Amino acid sequence: MPAFFPWWVAVTHFLNLFFLLLLARSGLEVLSAFPKLYWYDDCPPGREWARFSKKMYGKDSRKPWSSLDEEEAWNPVVALPGKKNIGLGRHWHFMSVQFWILTGVVYLVMVFATGYWHYLIPTHWSIIPDSIKSIGTYLHFQIPPKIPGEPFEPAQKLAYFVIIFLLAPFQILTGAAMSPSVLARFPWYGKLFHGKQGARSLHFLGLVAFAVFTVIHVSMVLVHDVPREAASIVLANPEANGTTAIIIGCAGLFLILVLHVIITWFSLRYRRRTQRLLGIMVNPFERAISKSFLSRQRFRSRDISPYFRVNGYPPTSTEYEHLAQDGFNGYSLPIGGLVRHPVSLSLEQLRGVGDHSQITKHNCIQGWTAVAQWGGVPLASIIDLVEPLESAKHVVFYAFDDKGLTEGEGRYGFFYGTIPVHLARNPQSILALEMNGEPLPIEHGAPVRVRLETQLGFKMVKWVCAIEFVEDYKDIGQGQGGWREDQQFYANAAGI
Ligand SMILES: Nc1nc2c(c(=O)[nH]1)N[C@H]1C(S)=C(S)[C@@H](COP(=O)(O)O)O[C@H]1N2
Ligand SMILES: [Mo]
């Protein structure tokens, strides 16, 4: 039989703690951007089952509001990095999850290769009555006996089994069920968790379960024999000197604390660098799924959400206001750049280019969702019309809204977004002119907006005023490929 406390358990236990803390804190950052939990993908304001915010916005609110107003600035002590940085929080979340899973894989390989699984996986139902008996013993302030020939008592074994073989995979599965690319390509998968909001709620409850386990786990170590337990899990040797083990263990915890402080400080101080460095590890994975997953969404009319949040205040320029007053009759959309046939199209002409309608689910990066029907021109038809040159790699959508005027908070410049040309060819990538059978309402992007159903909402530029095909987006704005990427440090990759 394998040793009760092999060295690889000590190492993976430490790494697991480090990455789980990163995951929990960056996960809370993500939650802070939309501190509400729902069971339904319509997210009707006021119908959340949990709310971690005092702010109240109703669909009948008298003041216009945008979903970004619902975001909370959480303290960097709990959230990574805190202070309304969902873009960076997500970067940390997706970076750490890769290493957390890697740690888990190494651990599981060792568990099965060495036969350690005998200590973790109950092979008889008697584990349940035995565990109840164990818990009863604890409640009498006594320590239950270990299973003969094994390192743990029954309740402990059962708890570890549940955490390792049920809770950890559950968090991975519910996490994947929140990716817009995955949801768009495999709508059935989302349904397993009652949609994205179900997955989001369950993922949060999984975090709570991890937290509860950690508290119990640590208190159990404290009620057991601390020096001996420390020697086992820190030095992989129950017979080692307990005091040494406690000192080394505390040094390890201190190291984790220091690393977290440095990571948090660096992320807040050097936001662009953090965005770039973590992007190197996160974006390739996103690119792979964005390239290979096409949206296969097909919702029914009765799935259309009664209420659809708005993100971003409408343009305030007189130019736009004049156009709107005139029912956008004077609107024309220039499409140019690296193309063979640059054009400028009125709404009438645009309608003539193609016609496509789809009922799909919108995923805002903040976390809310809503279903609507969108009608308009497939971007693929636009591509056929203007014929981009070989050198054209990205499509830039420029918008009418100057965020310095509509949003403030020290931000500036006109909203814009870019997507790789292959995303524009996706059958559900369209220039929408209609929402739910009506001309686009002002707040949802009239007269023309982008819809890309495998991506997060921030990629779908509203109030489009011009389209350009370019080789690279480095010279546009601050060079990150979009206004939110530039100014809010969102990942350019938006399929997850
Ligand atoms: N021009 C412009 N387009 C924009 C935004 C914006 O602020 N300005 N916000 C984006 C974000 S973050 C989201 S989630 C969606 C929201 O679309 P909706 O307001 O129709 O719900 O629009 C995207 N397109
Ligand atoms: Mo968004």
Side-chain angles (χ1 to χ4, degrees):
M1 284 309 272
F4 284 4
F5 295 97
W7 62 268
W8 52 267
V9 167
V11 173
T12 50
H13 182 258
F14 178 79
L15 291 175
N16 180 49
L17 176 61
F18 176 64
F19 291 124
L20 258 187
L21 262 180
L22 282 181
L23 279 172
R25 291 184 58 228
S26 54
L28 288 173
E29 179 73 42
V30 174
L31 182 62
S32 76
F34 186 56
K36 297 166 186 178
L37 295 170
Y38 294 84
W39 290 116
Y40 296 94
D41 281 354
D42 295 333
C43 303
R47 296 281 307 280
E48 57 270 9
W49 69 266
R51 176 163 51 83
F52 310 93
S53 164
K54 290 199 191 75
K55 289 190 254 174
M56 293 283 271
Y57 291 96
K59 55 174 119 184
D60 44 8
S61 168
R62 280 159 174 253
K63 208 171 92 211
W65 56 281
S66 146
S67 72
L68 213 53
D69 297 332
E70 297 176 274
E71 187 175 38
E72 291 285 338
W74 283 0
N75 195 305
V77 173
V78 292
L80 173 64
K83 304 190 181 179
K84 295 193 177 177
N85 281 294
I86 187 191
L88 299 179
R90 285 165 51 92
H91 274 96
W92 278 114
H93 206 66
F94 300 146
M95 198 283 294
S96 356
V97 77
Q98 301 181 35
F99 289 96
W100 181 65
I101 290 177
L102 186 65
T103 306
V105 168
V106 170
Y107 174 81
L108 286 180
V109 165
M110 295 303 283
V111 159
F112 287 106
T114 60
Y116 200 83
W117 65 269
H118 285 287
Y119 301 154
L120 297 170
I121 303 184
T123 44
H124 200 277
W125 288 111
S126 63
I127 190 78
I128 294 182
D130 291 351
S131 296
I132 295 172
K133 218 181 285 164
S134 258
I135 294 168
T137 314
Y138 282 122
L139 293 177
H140 287 91
F141 300 102
Q142 278 161 1
I143 309 278
K146 306 219 147 107
I147 302 169
E150 296 191 18
F152 312 124
E153 44 84 3
Q156 194 179 11
K157 178 171 179 170
L158 186 60
Y160 293 171
F161 170 75
V162 169
I163 295 294
I164 298 164
F165 294 98
L166 300 179
L167 185 58
F170 177 79
Q171 285 302 76
I172 295 170
L173 295 175
T174 50
M178 288 184 275
S179 150
S181 288
V182 172
L183 284 174
R185 173 62 185 79
F186 308 105
W188 58 267
Y189 182 71
K191 291 205 185 106
L192 296 179
F193 305 97
H194 212 259
K196 165 144 172 176
Q197 298 305 326
R200 204 169 164 263
S201 295
L202 292 170
H203 200 67
F204 173 79
L205 292 175
L207 169 69
V208 173
F210 262 118
V212 169
F213 166 78
T214 308
V215 169
I216 298 176
H217 184 55
V218 171
S219 16
M220 285 295 144
V221 171
L222 296 180
V223 302
H224 282 151
D225 181 353
V226 178
R228 201 180 153 83
E229 305 261 297
S232 308
I233 196 64
V234 177
L235 302 178
N237 173 11
E239 308 309 325
N241 182 303
T243 320
T244 318
I246 291 173
I247 293 173
I248 296 179
C250 288
L253 291 179
F254 187 70
L255 176 68
I256 289 180
L257 177 74
V258 169
L259 286 174
H260 271 257
V261 171
I262 294 175
I263 282 171
T264 310
W265 170 82
F266 185 92
S267 305
L268 289 171
R269 178 76 183 70
Y270 302 103
R271 295 195 286 174
R272 178 73 71 220
R273 240 185 268 176
T274 308
Q275 176 194 29
R276 278 211 204 113
L277 289 174
L278 295 178
I280 294 170
M281 281 184 272
V282 172
N283 296 349
F285 169 71
E286 191 280 343
R287 256 178 228 126
I289 63 170
S290 276
K291 262 219 170 104
S292 43
F293 288 0
L294 296 185
S295 177
R296 298 240 172 122
Q297 298 184 70
R298 208 167 292 133
F299 290 89
R300 295 154 302 184
S301 318
R302 67 177 132 107
D303 299 321
I304 291 175
S305 301
Y307 181 77
F308 201 113
R309 274 178 171 70
V310 167
N311 198 358
Y313 289 99
T316 49
S317 66
T318 43
E319 185 198 359
Y320 181 79
E321 270 162 17
H322 282 314
L323 283 172
Q325 273 158 16
D326 184 29
F328 296 102
N329 277 324
Y331 175 85
S332 75
L333 176 65
I335 308 174
L338 302 173
V339 298
R340 284 192 188 86
H341 314 291
V343 291
S344 189
L345 304 174
S346 68
L347 283 183
E348 197 63 42
Q349 291 168 318
L350 202 52
R351 267 188 217 107
V353 175
D355 184 22
H356 176 83
S357 161
Q358 60 204 30
I359 305 180
T360 51
K361 188 182 294 171
H362 181 95
N363 290 274
C364 173
I365 192 172
Q366 290 175 261
W368 57 269
T369 42
V371 176
Q373 179 175 18
W374 304 97
V377 189
L379 279 167
S381 309
I382 301 276
I383 291 180
D384 291 342
L385 180 73
V386 299
E387 293 187 25
L389 303 175
E390 284 307 303
S391 53
K393 297 282 181 290
H394 302 269
V395 193
V396 192
F397 301 96
Y398 298 95
F400 280 111
D401 52 326
D402 181 338
K403 299 299 266 182
L405 300 176
T406 60
E407 206 147 285
E409 291 210 28
R411 292 165 182 155
Y412 57 88
F414 286 93
F415 194 92
Y416 76 97
T418 67
I419 56 167
V421 172
H422 69 80
L423 263 184
R425 291 211 166 93
N426 199 317
Q428 290 194 331
S429 294
I430 66 172
L431 283 181
L433 308 172
E434 285 174 4
M435 178 184 189
N436 298 333
E438 305 282 333
L440 271 185
I442 296 276
E443 63 275 18
H444 290 293
V448 175
R449 77 166 302 163
V450 180
R451 290 298 312 173
L452 309 160
E453 308 302 349
T454 57
Q455 301 282 294
L456 292 171
F458 76 90
K459 286 278 172 185
M460 306 178 204
V461 179
K462 304 192 285 186
W463 310 298
V464 175
C465 65
I467 300 178
E468 186 185 13
F469 286 78
V470 297
E471 181 163 5
D472 201 348
Y473 49 71
K474 296 253 152 24
D475 299 328
I476 301 167
Q478 295 176 17
Q480 305 305 310
W483 188 89
R484 296 207 189 267
E485 292 91 327
D486 284 349
Q487 310 224 357
Q488 292 180 287
F489 306 93
Y490 288 1
N492 183 260
I496 39 176

